[in-house]
Amino acid sequence: MTASYNVWLVLLSYLVASFAAYTTLGLAARVNRPDGGLARGWMAAGAVAMGIGIWAMHFIGMLALHLPVHLSYDVAVTLVSILPAIGASAVALALMRRARVGLALHLACALAMGLGIAAMHYTGMAAVRMQPDYSYDPVWVAVSVLVGVAASFAALSISLRARAEPTAASTPLRSRGAASLVMGLAIVAMHYSGMRATHFVEGSVCVSPPLGVDPIWLALMVGVGSCLLLLAMLAAATLDLRRLERKRQVDADMLVRATELAAEMNADAISSEAHKRAIVESSLDGIITIDRLGRVIEFNAAAEVIFGYRRDQVLGWPLSECIIPPALRERHERGFARVLAGGPSMLLGRRIEIGAMRRNGEEFPIELALTSTPIGGEPAFTAHLRDLTERRAAEQSLRLRGLALDSVDNGICIVDSRGAIEYMNPAFEAICGWPAEALLGVSYSRLFRLPDGREGVPRALRVSVARGGLPLTRLHHVRPDGRELWCDVVVKVLRGESGQVTHSVAVVSDVTEAVLHEQQLNRLANFDSLTGLANRAHFRRLLDQRLGRERPMSLLFVDMDGFKQINDTFGHHVGDELLSVLGQRLKACMRDGDLVARLGGDEFVMLIEARGTTLDVMEAAVIDRVRASLAQPIHARDELLMARCSIGISRFPEDGLDADTLLRAADHAMYRAKRSGRTNEDEQVTVW
């Protein structure tokens, strides 16, 4: 029976075969990814899609066959024929997952794939049932199988080469398309060589159930459907590859960043180690590290200066033999063994003062702080050492200075720049009468006053800071027990390196006895011991001062009448009492600022200045007050006496321009008043 083919369907079968090959190349890169179950899932899906694509090519090729009789196909057998195609595709994709493929494995897979495709073809042929049955030419069957194996070998070779590319997108489209056309041609050749092996008997009739669809439309539906399935598979694979590429890029970027970070960490570690080494070497404290055997493994520059050893001289040497004094070595060994055993230690994490030994055998005090610093998981300890020789000398010097300050008789007080007390010696406490606890932090300006009672120390301190010190100043102080003191105070300022005043030192001397003695001498020299009024010499000085003002003033010369008779009758003690009371009454008659003095005996003088009114008015007012005062009897001891006096008045500048002239004029006026008063015994006060 003569057979012919529909050229368009043959062309369609070739295109489907080529597109299936193109899809295979696209999946080759995906199934080779080392992502476990996802890659295996892609392999299974790819095997089904590829198998359907190859089967669709054969089915379309079968539909392209045209015989003189109507052909139909058994649907069940036709669908079963897909399975060998899927199996052959699975073999091909499984081969893609192997890291290395030898020639023997390559040939074995090509043979299995070729036989699978042949099985698909001849199973599909079995779907056509003829009466009488068709037969096969063995030669052409063998040729078709060989063509299938050869086509499979070529397809696998192209796929393996494509797999070697980094990604499917990196495979040139032109070479990939050419390879697909070659593979499609090989698959078509296998199919049509297999069709060439089929011999239909003349007059045969097809007994397969009719399909009910025109073969051309069926071929188009199968071809388009398989192509859409392959296209969907190819698109999904492309998107997945792009996702993998992005992930790969991210992983690559992370790897680069991790590499850079590792390099940075390594550089930082090196820099940190160098930094730590620089810190250790530049430390002012001696730093010595020992291992679990007590051997020196680190010895910095400061330790070299402290102990007199070079670093290379002590590395590996037991610590106890180089810096521990012989008397302390046994104790050191016991303590170190206890620390290694994990027992309690008084050294770790604390600062203590112990003795150490220099290279020349000299023993000296050091401050030690011991810390545990394991190295590589092995116990190690670092000692931080500080030479206390200079500190001990400074402490001894300060102790001697403190003893000296505590032993002096003068009070010494140190205050800060604000005047707050920071230190006082025992003598200062004794002078002030306050304990140190009550005064520390208090401004010492509260303790002293100027002689006139004003708080002048704050201003004096400001002046002292500006001038570089406070000169000798006499100040007044009242102790808590009410005792009044006079103190001489000298202040010296202390300046810092920048020249700014940081502290002041006040030296205080108790001069109360000297001041009281001076006050007593002053009273004896300037005041009348009986009445407490200014004496003749002091009054003359005060009068000269007042005359220098050149203001109008009056001088009242007062003399008691009959004072000699009172002395002779009642005694001098009554006369002294009378003079004392008379002096106080005369003083009470004067305004503040006016003067009253006792010149001697029973003679008094009163000085009045014109302030806000005329001298006549002032004189009259004072004389009236004197008359009223003397009108009252005076109790002198057990006697009741009445005092009478004569007053002479002289005026400045009318009666004189100097003290002597004014006193003489007032004296003469007093005598005239006394003479005139004798004629009038009823007058208590006679004035001239």
Side-chain angles (χ1 to χ4, degrees):
M1 187 182 298
T2 304
S4 62
Y5 294 91
N6 188 318
V7 177
W8 298 108
L9 293 182
V10 171
L11 179 60
L12 178 61
S13 67
Y14 173 65
L15 293 176
V16 171
S18 298
F19 190 61
Y22 187 85
T23 303
T24 304
L25 293 176
L27 290 175
R30 182 60 190 91
V31 299
N32 191 42
R33 295 289 179 180
D35 47 5
L38 186 59
R40 287 190 294 271
W42 271 107
M43 186 181 73
V48 172
M50 254 185 73
I52 291 175
I54 296 173
W55 171 84
M57 174 267 151
H58 286 272
F59 188 70
I60 294 171
M62 291 292 295
L63 294 176
L65 175 66
H66 178 69
L67 293 175
V69 296
H70 177 75
L71 292 179
S72 186
Y73 302 91
D74 187 287
V75 176
V77 177
T78 300
L79 293 178
V80 170
S81 66
I82 298 176
L83 299 179
I86 294 175
S89 299
V91 170
L93 293 176
L95 188 65
M96 297 298 101
R97 287 185 53 80
R98 298 185 65 87
R100 299 183 63 182
V101 179
L103 180 59
L105 182 60
H106 190 173
L107 290 172
C109 289
L111 179 61
M113 188 174 177
L115 292 175
I117 294 173
M120 176 208 67
H121 171 74
Y122 290 107
T123 302
M125 288 297 297
V128 181
R129 297 177 182 176
M130 303 290 290
Q131 288 294 337
D133 200 3
Y134 51 82
S135 61
Y136 294 101
D137 185 342
V139 176
W140 280 103
V141 170
V143 170
S144 66
V145 173
L146 290 176
V147 170
V149 173
S152 299
F153 186 87
L156 291 175
S157 298
I158 295 173
S159 297
L160 291 173
R161 283 197 299 271
R163 186 188 66 174
E165 299 293 337
T167 64
S170 65
T171 305
L173 293 178
R174 183 177 299 176
S175 60
R176 183 175 169 184
S180 301
L181 294 175
V182 172
M183 290 179 65
L185 183 61
I187 295 172
V188 168
M190 180 271 157
H191 170 76
Y192 288 105
S193 62
M195 293 298 296
R196 177 69 180 80
T198 306
H199 176 67
F200 295 96
V201 179
E202 191 71 32
S204 297
V205 178
C206 180
V207 295
S208 296
L211 294 175
V213 181
D214 185 85
I216 295 178
W217 283 106
L218 183 59
L220 289 175
M221 287 189 292
V222 171
V224 172
S226 61
C227 287
L228 289 177
L229 178 62
L230 292 171
L231 183 62
M233 184 62 65
L234 183 61
T238 302
L239 292 176
D240 190 55
L241 283 173
R242 289 180 179 177
R243 179 188 65 81
L244 288 176
E245 282 304 309
R246 288 194 297 270
K247 183 176 181 298
R248 188 190 67 81
Q249 186 62 41
V250 171
D251 293 343
D253 293 341
M254 291 182 63
L255 179 61
V256 171
R257 179 57 185 155
T259 303
E260 294 175 352
L261 185 60
E264 290 177 5
M265 293 177 64
N266 186 47
D268 289 343
I270 295 174
S271 175
S272 176
E273 184 65 27
H275 182 63
K276 292 178 182 178
R277 183 66 189 173
I279 292 175
V280 170
E281 288 301 318
S282 61
S283 174
L284 298 179
D285 290 345
I287 298 178
I288 303 176
T289 302
I290 58 176
D291 61 13
R292 60 187 303 275
L293 299 178
R295 298 172 302 192
V296 177
I297 59 176
E298 183 55 64
F299 201 83
N300 74 338
E304 293 179 338
V305 174
I306 293 173
F307 296 100
Y309 292 99
R310 294 196 314 272
R311 183 172 182 270
D312 58 349
Q313 291 177 321
V314 295
L315 291 181
W317 197 11
L319 181 68
S320 60
E321 296 183 12
C322 55
I323 69 170
I324 305 297
L328 300 177
R329 288 177 183 173
E330 183 178 352
R331 177 183 172 188
H332 165 77
E333 296 292 347
R334 290 199 306 269
F336 188 65
R338 185 165 57 250
V339 171
L340 283 177
S345 173
M346 298 181 62
L347 296 180
L348 288 177
R350 299 180 56 192
R351 287 188 176 273
I352 63 171
E353 295 184 6
I354 61 172
M357 183 179 66
R358 304 189 201 273
R359 182 182 181 185
N360 58 9
E362 174 192 357
E363 295 187 13
F364 65 102
I366 63 170
E367 182 182 72
L368 166 66
L370 187 65
T371 58
S372 176
T373 54
I375 300 176
E378 291 293 326
F381 302 90
T382 298
H384 301 261
L385 308 166
R386 186 173 298 172
D387 189 347
L388 298 182
T389 304
E390 294 184 1
R391 183 195 295 181
R392 291 284 179 84
E395 290 174 352
Q396 179 66 13
S397 176
L398 288 175
R399 190 177 300 109
L400 293 176
R401 294 179 186 180
L403 290 175
L405 291 176
D406 291 345
S407 63
V408 298
D409 295 331
N410 290 335
I412 298 177
C413 172
I414 300 177
V415 300
D416 61 16
S417 59
R418 298 176 291 107
I421 297 176
E422 290 190 359
Y423 166 82
M424 61 177 64
N425 69 343
F428 190 89
E429 294 184 53
I431 292 172
C432 294
W434 293 90
E437 295 79 8
L439 294 181
L440 291 178
V442 177
S443 174
Y444 84 97
S445 63
R446 300 182 182 179
L447 302 177
F448 301 101
R449 295 178 180 270
L450 293 175
D452 59 3
R454 293 181 293 109
E455 291 187 6
V457 174
R459 178 179 177 277
L461 274 179
R462 290 194 294 271
V463 173
S464 72
V465 171
R467 297 180 179 177
L470 179 68
L472 181 63
T473 303
R474 182 156 294 174
L475 302 176
H476 183 245
H477 170 60
V478 180
R479 290 165 50 96
D481 57 8
R483 179 186 170 192
E484 297 186 4
L485 299 181
W486 290 93
C487 301
D488 283 346
V489 180
V490 177
V491 177
K492 298 293 183 182
V493 297
L494 304 178
R495 301 183 184 274
E497 296 181 357
S498 61
Q500 184 179 5
V501 174
T502 59
H503 292 80
S504 299
V505 179
V507 180
V508 181
S509 302
D510 184 357
V511 294
T512 303
E513 292 185 3
V515 170
L516 293 178
H517 183 64
E518 289 177 1
Q519 291 176 350
Q520 183 178 5
L521 292 178
N522 181 65
R523 284 193 299 271
L524 291 176
N526 296 292
F527 296 92
D528 177 53
S529 60
L530 179 62
T531 62
L533 301 176
N535 60 16
R536 177 185 293 272
H538 188 44
F539 178 76
R540 283 293 302 271
R541 288 191 295 271
L542 296 176
L543 179 58
D544 288 337
Q545 293 176 3
R546 300 292 178 93
L547 291 175
R549 300 176 183 176
E550 297 184 354
R551 296 177 182 174
M553 64 185 70
S554 295
L555 195 64
L556 282 68
F557 202 104
V558 181
D559 184 79
M560 285 193 63
D561 296 335
F563 180 69
K564 184 177 182 303
Q565 184 180 356
I566 293 174
N567 265 344
D568 293 342
T569 303
F570 299 104
H572 288 282
H573 61 284
V574 174
D576 290 344
E577 183 75 16
L578 177 63
L579 290 175
S580 177
V581 173
L582 179 60
Q584 296 303 317
R585 289 191 179 184
L586 291 177
K587 185 176 180 181
C589 295
M590 303 292 282
R591 300 171 302 174
D592 291 339
D594 294 336
L595 296 178
V596 179
R598 182 190 178 198
L599 299 182
D602 59 350
E603 294 179 342
F604 296 87
V605 64
M606 305 168 70
L607 182 64
I608 304 171
E609 288 185 297
R611 290 179 289 173
T613 184
T614 62
L615 282 176
D616 292 340
V617 174
M618 289 300 305
E619 290 172 0
V622 170
I623 291 173
D624 288 343
R625 287 196 291 270
V626 171
R627 283 194 176 103
S629 177
L630 295 184
Q632 302 297 324
I634 297 175
H635 292 274
R637 299 298 173 99
D638 296 330
E639 303 296 333
L640 186 62
L641 304 174
M642 297 297 293
R644 298 177 69 253
C645 65
S646 300
I647 300 177
I649 303 174
S650 63
R651 295 183 179 90
F652 173 83
E654 293 91 336
D655 298 328
L657 298 177
D658 58 76
D660 290 337
T661 302
L662 290 173
L663 284 172
R664 282 196 301 270
D667 188 36
H668 292 160
M670 182 271 297
Y671 278 110
R672 286 194 293 272
K674 189 178 287 286
R675 284 193 297 269
S676 66
R678 290 182 183 144
T679 61
N680 189 1
E681 296 294 335
D682 294 331
E683 282 288 338
Q684 196 75 23
V685 177
T686 305
V687 181
W688 190 272

